[in-house]
Amino acid sequence: MSGWGIKDSKTASGTVAITTGGAVTGTSTAFTTEAAVGDFLRVGSQEFIIIAIDDNTTATVINANPQLTWTTINAGASYTLSEKPTSLASDPSILSTNVFGVDTSETAATAAEGKPVAHAGWVLKTTRGARTTYETLVALSKNGASPANMGDYEDVEFEDAFIEITTQPDAAATADAGDAIATLAEVVATIAPSTATITYQWQQSVDGGATFANIDPAGGVFTGADSASLGVNAGMTDTSSAWNNAQFRCVLSASGADSVTSDALTLTVNP
């Protein structure tokens, strides 16, 4: 099949035991006919990805979500099998409720619940902060082959990143002329997915915030211009227009994410 949705199901005969090393031992299972490499095997709240099938009762899995603790599963455990994009594994209990569609049978089933899709493919609705995104994967074939020969990994979902500032810089700061300022302004932010990396760029304005210019991290005046915390070296502050009432803000960016700009801090320099 060509994708995954909440109406999909795969037969999962028998019961299993799973060691923390990933060895799966089945009882009355039929892994060679019911499962495939890349399928997701779920026992209770734990989910695994099948990476090898030796025979009907022996397979090997890895943890589908490395952030969660993996515990031994004793013999006799019931399990389920599913096909879905690898990136949906990290939170299947939530994301699965927002994924609809795949083939014509899926389309009919979701339409019966008042959630129709207009094509053969899955649609994922995700809310990140104040933004809602809709991601779509339509059904494809592999090398022109029939759906029965399609693999799982061509259906991988690549999520856009979303940056959210959780702590803004202070609105104002004061320093004496010539003082060093270890932390002039600081910003705290999160990014989803957590595997993405935030890039920081502090900016300065000397015209009341009408225009801002990037601060050179290697300029010698500032410290941390490309980090979450901006500082000023000793002897650099003065009472000229370039410093007194100057404003500072940070632009946060990441690959695949919209840039986010922090609030501005105003610096007062005492003579």
mmCIF file with all atom_site columns, all heavy atoms in Angstrom, residues 28-48:
data_model
loop_
_atom_site.group_PDB
_atom_site.id
_atom_site.type_symbol
_atom_site.label_atom_id
_atom_site.label_alt_id
_atom_site.label_comp_id
_atom_site.label_asym_id
_atom_site.label_entity_id
_atom_site.label_seq_id
_atom_site.pdbx_PDB_ins_code
_atom_site.Cartn_x
_atom_site.Cartn_y
_atom_site.Cartn_z
_atom_site.occupancy
_atom_site.B_iso_or_equiv
_atom_site.pdbx_formal_charge
_atom_site.auth_seq_id
_atom_site.auth_comp_id
_atom_site.auth_asym_id
_atom_site.auth_atom_id
_atom_site.pdbx_PDB_model_num
ATOM 1   N N   . SER A 1 28 ? 3.123  -18.448 17.622 1.00 0.00 ? 28 SER A N   1
ATOM 2   C CA  . SER A 1 28 ? 2.019  -18.536 16.652 1.00 0.00 ? 28 SER A CA  1
ATOM 3   C C   . SER A 1 28 ? 1.943  -17.297 15.761 1.00 0.00 ? 28 SER A C   1
ATOM 4   O O   . SER A 1 28 ? 0.865  -16.894 15.328 1.00 0.00 ? 28 SER A O   1
ATOM 5   C CB  . SER A 1 28 ? 0.680  -18.750 17.372 1.00 0.00 ? 28 SER A CB  1
ATOM 6   O OG  . SER A 1 28 ? 0.698  -19.944 18.128 1.00 0.00 ? 28 SER A OG  1
ATOM 7   N N   . THR A 1 29 ? 3.091  -16.669 15.507 1.00 0.00 ? 29 THR A N   1
ATOM 8   C CA  . THR A 1 29 ? 3.139  -15.493 14.637 1.00 0.00 ? 29 THR A CA  1
ATOM 9   C C   . THR A 1 29 ? 3.424  -15.898 13.193 1.00 0.00 ? 29 THR A C   1
ATOM 10  O O   . THR A 1 29 ? 3.835  -17.034 12.922 1.00 0.00 ? 29 THR A O   1
ATOM 11  C CB  . THR A 1 29 ? 4.230  -14.512 15.112 1.00 0.00 ? 29 THR A CB  1
ATOM 12  O OG1 . THR A 1 29 ? 5.464  -15.238 15.295 1.00 0.00 ? 29 THR A OG1 1
ATOM 13  C CG2 . THR A 1 29 ? 3.839  -13.867 16.429 1.00 0.00 ? 29 THR A CG2 1
ATOM 14  N N   . ALA A 1 30 ? 3.228  -14.957 12.280 1.00 0.00 ? 30 ALA A N   1
ATOM 15  C CA  . ALA A 1 30 ? 3.474  -15.196 10.850 1.00 0.00 ? 30 ALA A CA  1
ATOM 16  C C   . ALA A 1 30 ? 4.150  -13.969 10.264 1.00 0.00 ? 30 ALA A C   1
ATOM 17  O O   . ALA A 1 30 ? 3.624  -13.309 9.363  1.00 0.00 ? 30 ALA A O   1
ATOM 18  C CB  . ALA A 1 30 ? 2.169  -15.505 10.133 1.00 0.00 ? 30 ALA A CB  1
ATOM 19  N N   . PHE A 1 31 ? 5.351  -13.653 10.774 1.00 0.00 ? 31 PHE A N   1
ATOM 20  C CA  . PHE A 1 31 ? 6.042  -12.436 10.379 1.00 0.00 ? 31 PHE A CA  1
ATOM 21  C C   . PHE A 1 31 ? 6.313  -12.378 8.875  1.00 0.00 ? 31 PHE A C   1
ATOM 22  O O   . PHE A 1 31 ? 6.231  -11.308 8.267  1.00 0.00 ? 31 PHE A O   1
ATOM 23  C CB  . PHE A 1 31 ? 7.365  -12.312 11.135 1.00 0.00 ? 31 PHE A CB  1
ATOM 24  C CG  . PHE A 1 31 ? 7.207  -12.075 12.617 1.00 0.00 ? 31 PHE A CG  1
ATOM 25  C CD1 . PHE A 1 31 ? 8.163  -12.553 13.513 1.00 0.00 ? 31 PHE A CD1 1
ATOM 26  C CD2 . PHE A 1 31 ? 6.126  -11.379 13.130 1.00 0.00 ? 31 PHE A CD2 1
ATOM 27  C CE1 . PHE A 1 31 ? 8.027  -12.344 14.868 1.00 0.00 ? 31 PHE A CE1 1
ATOM 28  C CE2 . PHE A 1 31 ? 5.984  -11.159 14.485 1.00 0.00 ? 31 PHE A CE2 1
ATOM 29  C CZ  . PHE A 1 31 ? 6.940  -11.649 15.366 1.00 0.00 ? 31 PHE A CZ  1
ATOM 30  N N   . THR A 1 32 ? 6.660  -13.509 8.255  1.00 0.00 ? 32 THR A N   1
ATOM 31  C CA  . THR A 1 32 ? 7.054  -13.478 6.837  1.00 0.00 ? 32 THR A CA  1
ATOM 32  C C   . THR A 1 32 ? 5.901  -13.118 5.908  1.00 0.00 ? 32 THR A C   1
ATOM 33  O O   . THR A 1 32 ? 6.124  -12.603 4.809  1.00 0.00 ? 32 THR A O   1
ATOM 34  C CB  . THR A 1 32 ? 7.644  -14.829 6.412  1.00 0.00 ? 32 THR A CB  1
ATOM 35  O OG1 . THR A 1 32 ? 6.671  -15.856 6.630  1.00 0.00 ? 32 THR A OG1 1
ATOM 36  C CG2 . THR A 1 32 ? 8.913  -15.149 7.200  1.00 0.00 ? 32 THR A CG2 1
ATOM 37  N N   . THR A 1 33 ? 4.671  -13.378 6.328  1.00 0.00 ? 33 THR A N   1
ATOM 38  C CA  . THR A 1 33 ? 3.524  -13.080 5.469  1.00 0.00 ? 33 THR A CA  1
ATOM 39  C C   . THR A 1 33 ? 2.705  -11.884 5.956  1.00 0.00 ? 33 THR A C   1
ATOM 40  O O   . THR A 1 33 ? 2.048  -11.216 5.152  1.00 0.00 ? 33 THR A O   1
ATOM 41  C CB  . THR A 1 33 ? 2.589  -14.305 5.370  1.00 0.00 ? 33 THR A CB  1
ATOM 42  O OG1 . THR A 1 33 ? 2.192  -14.696 6.687  1.00 0.00 ? 33 THR A OG1 1
ATOM 43  C CG2 . THR A 1 33 ? 3.308  -15.461 4.687  1.00 0.00 ? 33 THR A CG2 1
ATOM 44  N N   . GLU A 1 34 ? 2.749  -11.592 7.243  1.00 0.00 ? 34 GLU A N   1
ATOM 45  C CA  . GLU A 1 34 ? 1.929  -10.511 7.786  1.00 0.00 ? 34 GLU A CA  1
ATOM 46  C C   . GLU A 1 34 ? 2.690  -9.210  7.994  1.00 0.00 ? 34 GLU A C   1
ATOM 47  O O   . GLU A 1 34 ? 2.093  -8.137  8.028  1.00 0.00 ? 34 GLU A O   1
ATOM 48  C CB  . GLU A 1 34 ? 1.304  -10.942 9.119  1.00 0.00 ? 34 GLU A CB  1
ATOM 49  C CG  . GLU A 1 34 ? 0.326  -12.089 8.994  1.00 0.00 ? 34 GLU A CG  1
ATOM 50  C CD  . GLU A 1 34 ? -0.240 -12.546 10.329 1.00 0.00 ? 34 GLU A CD  1
ATOM 51  O OE1 . GLU A 1 34 ? 0.255  -12.068 11.392 1.00 0.00 ? 34 GLU A OE1 1
ATOM 52  O OE2 . GLU A 1 34 ? -1.165 -13.358 10.337 1.00 0.00 ? 34 GLU A OE2 1
ATOM 53  N N   . ALA A 1 35 ? 4.005  -9.286  8.139  1.00 0.00 ? 35 ALA A N   1
ATOM 54  C CA  . ALA A 1 35 ? 4.809  -8.098  8.431  1.00 0.00 ? 35 ALA A CA  1
ATOM 55  C C   . ALA A 1 35 ? 5.833  -7.872  7.321  1.00 0.00 ? 35 ALA A C   1
ATOM 56  O O   . ALA A 1 35 ? 6.037  -8.723  6.454  1.00 0.00 ? 35 ALA A O   1
ATOM 57  C CB  . ALA A 1 35 ? 5.519  -8.246  9.778  1.00 0.00 ? 35 ALA A CB  1
ATOM 58  N N   . ALA A 1 36 ? 6.476  -6.713  7.364  1.00 0.00 ? 36 ALA A N   1
ATOM 59  C CA  . ALA A 1 36 ? 7.525  -6.372  6.406  1.00 0.00 ? 36 ALA A CA  1
ATOM 60  C C   . ALA A 1 36 ? 8.534  -5.470  7.089  1.00 0.00 ? 36 ALA A C   1
ATOM 61  O O   . ALA A 1 36 ? 8.207  -4.773  8.059  1.00 0.00 ? 36 ALA A O   1
ATOM 62  C CB  . ALA A 1 36 ? 6.929  -5.680  5.186  1.00 0.00 ? 36 ALA A CB  1
ATOM 63  N N   . VAL A 1 37 ? 9.768  -5.493  6.596  1.00 0.00 ? 37 VAL A N   1
ATOM 64  C CA  . VAL A 1 37 ? 10.782 -4.588  7.117  1.00 0.00 ? 37 VAL A CA  1
ATOM 65  C C   . VAL A 1 37 ? 10.303 -3.153  6.901  1.00 0.00 ? 37 VAL A C   1
ATOM 66  O O   . VAL A 1 37 ? 9.838  -2.785  5.821  1.00 0.00 ? 37 VAL A O   1
ATOM 67  C CB  . VAL A 1 37 ? 12.131 -4.823  6.417  1.00 0.00 ? 37 VAL A CB  1
ATOM 68  C CG1 . VAL A 1 37 ? 13.129 -3.738  6.807  1.00 0.00 ? 37 VAL A CG1 1
ATOM 69  C CG2 . VAL A 1 37 ? 12.672 -6.194  6.774  1.00 0.00 ? 37 VAL A CG2 1
ATOM 70  N N   . GLY A 1 38 ? 10.384 -2.333  7.951  1.00 0.00 ? 38 GLY A N   1
ATOM 71  C CA  . GLY A 1 38 ? 9.873  -0.973  7.897  1.00 0.00 ? 38 GLY A CA  1
ATOM 72  C C   . GLY A 1 38 ? 8.527  -0.811  8.563  1.00 0.00 ? 38 GLY A C   1
ATOM 73  O O   . GLY A 1 38 ? 8.107  0.313   8.842  1.00 0.00 ? 38 GLY A O   1
ATOM 74  N N   . ASP A 1 39 ? 7.828  -1.936  8.831  1.00 0.00 ? 39 ASP A N   1
ATOM 75  C CA  . ASP A 1 39 ? 6.551  -1.858  9.538  1.00 0.00 ? 39 ASP A CA  1
ATOM 76  C C   . ASP A 1 39 ? 6.782  -1.439  10.988 1.00 0.00 ? 39 ASP A C   1
ATOM 77  O O   . ASP A 1 39 ? 7.870  -1.614  11.547 1.00 0.00 ? 39 ASP A O   1
ATOM 78  C CB  . ASP A 1 39 ? 5.839  -3.214  9.533  1.00 0.00 ? 39 ASP A CB  1
ATOM 79  C CG  . ASP A 1 39 ? 5.132  -3.489  8.217  1.00 0.00 ? 39 ASP A CG  1
ATOM 80  O OD1 . ASP A 1 39 ? 5.110  -2.590  7.359  1.00 0.00 ? 39 ASP A OD1 1
ATOM 81  O OD2 . ASP A 1 39 ? 4.619  -4.611  8.055  1.00 0.00 ? 39 ASP A OD2 1
ATOM 82  N N   . PHE A 1 40 ? 5.708  -0.935  11.610 1.00 0.00 ? 40 PHE A N   1
ATOM 83  C CA  . PHE A 1 40 ? 5.757  -0.551  13.011 1.00 0.00 ? 40 PHE A CA  1
ATOM 84  C C   . PHE A 1 40 ? 5.046  -1.617  13.838 1.00 0.00 ? 40 PHE A C   1
ATOM 85  O O   . PHE A 1 40 ? 3.904  -1.987  13.551 1.00 0.00 ? 40 PHE A O   1
ATOM 86  C CB  . PHE A 1 40 ? 5.101  0.815   13.219 1.00 0.00 ? 40 PHE A CB  1
ATOM 87  C CG  . PHE A 1 40 ? 5.937  1.944   12.703 1.00 0.00 ? 40 PHE A CG  1
ATOM 88  C CD1 . PHE A 1 40 ? 6.043  2.186   11.345 1.00 0.00 ? 40 PHE A CD1 1
ATOM 89  C CD2 . PHE A 1 40 ? 6.654  2.742   13.576 1.00 0.00 ? 40 PHE A CD2 1
ATOM 90  C CE1 . PHE A 1 40 ? 6.826  3.218   10.869 1.00 0.00 ? 40 PHE A CE1 1
ATOM 91  C CE2 . PHE A 1 40 ? 7.444  3.773   13.108 1.00 0.00 ? 40 PHE A CE2 1
ATOM 92  C CZ  . PHE A 1 40 ? 7.534  4.013   11.747 1.00 0.00 ? 40 PHE A CZ  1
ATOM 93  N N   . LEU A 1 41 ? 5.748  -2.107  14.839 1.00 0.00 ? 41 LEU A N   1
ATOM 94  C CA  . LEU A 1 41 ? 5.215  -3.105  15.755 1.00 0.00 ? 41 LEU A CA  1
ATOM 95  C C   . LEU A 1 41 ? 4.997  -2.417  17.092 1.00 0.00 ? 41 LEU A C   1
ATOM 96  O O   . LEU A 1 41 ? 5.939  -1.867  17.670 1.00 0.00 ? 41 LEU A O   1
ATOM 97  C CB  . LEU A 1 41 ? 6.187  -4.282  15.878 1.00 0.00 ? 41 LEU A CB  1
ATOM 98  C CG  . LEU A 1 41 ? 5.727  -5.513  16.660 1.00 0.00 ? 41 LEU A CG  1
ATOM 99  C CD1 . LEU A 1 41 ? 6.536  -6.741  16.223 1.00 0.00 ? 41 LEU A CD1 1
ATOM 100 C CD2 . LEU A 1 41 ? 5.856  -5.338  18.169 1.00 0.00 ? 41 LEU A CD2 1
ATOM 101 N N   . ARG A 1 42 ? 3.770  -2.454  17.587 1.00 0.00 ? 42 ARG A N   1
ATOM 102 C CA  . ARG A 1 42 ? 3.423  -1.719  18.804 1.00 0.00 ? 42 ARG A CA  1
ATOM 103 C C   . ARG A 1 42 ? 2.903  -2.677  19.859 1.00 0.00 ? 42 ARG A C   1
ATOM 104 O O   . ARG A 1 42 ? 2.029  -3.499  19.599 1.00 0.00 ? 42 ARG A O   1
ATOM 105 C CB  . ARG A 1 42 ? 2.374  -0.656  18.494 1.00 0.00 ? 42 ARG A CB  1
ATOM 106 C CG  . ARG A 1 42 ? 2.061  0.281   19.657 1.00 0.00 ? 42 ARG A CG  1
ATOM 107 C CD  . ARG A 1 42 ? 1.080  1.356   19.203 1.00 0.00 ? 42 ARG A CD  1
ATOM 108 N NE  . ARG A 1 42 ? 0.721  2.274   20.264 1.00 0.00 ? 42 ARG A NE  1
ATOM 109 C CZ  . ARG A 1 42 ? 1.398  3.366   20.600 1.00 0.00 ? 42 ARG A CZ  1
ATOM 110 N NH1 . ARG A 1 42 ? 2.484  3.677   19.925 1.00 0.00 ? 42 ARG A NH1 1
ATOM 111 N NH2 . ARG A 1 42 ? 0.996  4.153   21.582 1.00 0.00 ? 42 ARG A NH2 1
ATOM 112 N N   . VAL A 1 43 ? 3.442  -2.543  21.073 1.00 0.00 ? 43 VAL A N   1
ATOM 113 C CA  . VAL A 1 43 ? 2.985  -3.305  22.233 1.00 0.00 ? 43 VAL A CA  1
ATOM 114 C C   . VAL A 1 43 ? 2.665  -2.297  23.331 1.00 0.00 ? 43 VAL A C   1
ATOM 115 O O   . VAL A 1 43 ? 3.565  -1.636  23.849 1.00 0.00 ? 43 VAL A O   1
ATOM 116 C CB  . VAL A 1 43 ? 4.038  -4.316  22.722 1.00 0.00 ? 43 VAL A CB  1
ATOM 117 C CG1 . VAL A 1 43 ? 3.519  -5.062  23.950 1.00 0.00 ? 43 VAL A CG1 1
ATOM 118 C CG2 . VAL A 1 43 ? 4.412  -5.290  21.620 1.00 0.00 ? 43 VAL A CG2 1
ATOM 119 N N   . GLY A 1 44 ? 1.388  -2.170  23.684 1.00 0.00 ? 44 GLY A N   1
ATOM 120 C CA  . GLY A 1 44 ? 1.023  -1.185  24.687 1.00 0.00 ? 44 GLY A CA  1
ATOM 121 C C   . GLY A 1 44 ? 1.408  0.209   24.231 1.00 0.00 ? 44 GLY A C   1
ATOM 122 O O   . GLY A 1 44 ? 1.045  0.639   23.137 1.00 0.00 ? 44 GLY A O   1
ATOM 123 N N   . SER A 1 45 ? 2.192  0.917   25.042 1.00 0.00 ? 45 SER A N   1
ATOM 124 C CA  . SER A 1 45 ? 2.620  2.272   24.691 1.00 0.00 ? 45 SER A CA  1
ATOM 125 C C   . SER A 1 45 ? 3.977  2.301   23.993 1.00 0.00 ? 45 SER A C   1
ATOM 126 O O   . SER A 1 45 ? 4.464  3.375   23.635 1.00 0.00 ? 45 SER A O   1
ATOM 127 C CB  . SER A 1 45 ? 2.697  3.132   25.957 1.00 0.00 ? 45 SER A CB  1
ATOM 128 O OG  . SER A 1 45 ? 3.654  2.603   26.864 1.00 0.00 ? 45 SER A OG  1
ATOM 129 N N   . GLN A 1 46 ? 4.595  1.118   23.807 1.00 0.00 ? 46 GLN A N   1
ATOM 130 C CA  . GLN A 1 46 ? 5.898  1.066   23.172 1.00 0.00 ? 46 GLN A CA  1
ATOM 131 C C   . GLN A 1 46 ? 5.758  0.728   21.691 1.00 0.00 ? 46 GLN A C   1
ATOM 132 O O   . GLN A 1 46 ? 4.990  -0.147  21.312 1.00 0.00 ? 46 GLN A O   1
ATOM 133 C CB  . GLN A 1 46 ? 6.802  0.022   23.845 1.00 0.00 ? 46 GLN A CB  1
ATOM 134 C CG  . GLN A 1 46 ? 7.117  0.348   25.296 1.00 0.00 ? 46 GLN A CG  1
ATOM 135 C CD  . GLN A 1 46 ? 8.222  -0.524  25.836 1.00 0.00 ? 46 GLN A CD  1
ATOM 136 O OE1 . GLN A 1 46 ? 9.399  -0.233  25.677 1.00 0.00 ? 46 GLN A OE1 1
ATOM 137 N NE2 . GLN A 1 46 ? 7.839  -1.621  26.481 1.00 0.00 ? 46 GLN A NE2 1
ATOM 138 N N   . GLU A 1 47 ? 6.518  1.445   20.869 1.00 0.00 ? 47 GLU A N   1
ATOM 139 C CA  . GLU A 1 47 ? 6.450  1.220   19.429 1.00 0.00 ? 47 GLU A CA  1
ATOM 140 C C   . GLU A 1 47 ? 7.844  0.992   18.875 1.00 0.00 ? 47 GLU A C   1
ATOM 141 O O   . GLU A 1 47 ? 8.814  1.638   19.278 1.00 0.00 ? 47 GLU A O   1
ATOM 142 C CB  . GLU A 1 47 ? 5.790  2.401   18.721 1.00 0.00 ? 47 GLU A CB  1
ATOM 143 C CG  . GLU A 1 47 ? 5.442  2.092   17.283 1.00 0.00 ? 47 GLU A CG  1
ATOM 144 C CD  . GLU A 1 47 ? 4.328  2.975   16.756 1.00 0.00 ? 47 GLU A CD  1
ATOM 145 O OE1 . GLU A 1 47 ? 4.266  4.151   17.172 1.00 0.00 ? 47 GLU A OE1 1
ATOM 146 O OE2 . GLU A 1 47 ? 3.522  2.498   15.938 1.00 0.00 ? 47 GLU A OE2 1
ATOM 147 N N   . PHE A 1 48 ? 7.942  0.051   17.938 1.00 0.00 ? 48 PHE A N   1
ATOM 148 C CA  . PHE A 1 48 ? 9.211  -0.359  17.373 1.00 0.00 ? 48 PHE A CA  1
ATOM 149 C C   . PHE A 1 48 ? 9.120  -0.373  15.849 1.00 0.00 ? 48 PHE A C   1
ATOM 150 O O   . PHE A 1 48 ? 8.036  -0.491  15.282 1.00 0.00 ? 48 PHE A O   1
ATOM 151 C CB  . PHE A 1 48 ? 9.597  -1.759  17.853 1.00 0.00 ? 48 PHE A CB  1
ATOM 152 C CG  . PHE A 1 48 ? 9.512  -1.940  19.348 1.00 0.00 ? 48 PHE A CG  1
ATOM 153 C CD1 . PHE A 1 48 ? 8.339  -2.374  19.949 1.00 0.00 ? 48 PHE A CD1 1
ATOM 154 C CD2 . PHE A 1 48 ? 10.599 -1.660  20.152 1.00 0.00 ? 48 PHE A CD2 1
ATOM 155 C CE1 . PHE A 1 48 ? 8.253  -2.537  21.322 1.00 0.00 ? 48 PHE A CE1 1
ATOM 156 C CE2 . PHE A 1 48 ? 10.523 -1.816  21.532 1.00 0.00 ? 48 PHE A CE2 1
ATOM 157 C CZ  . PHE A 1 48 ? 9.345  -2.250  22.124 1.00 0.00 ? 48 PHE A CZ  1
#
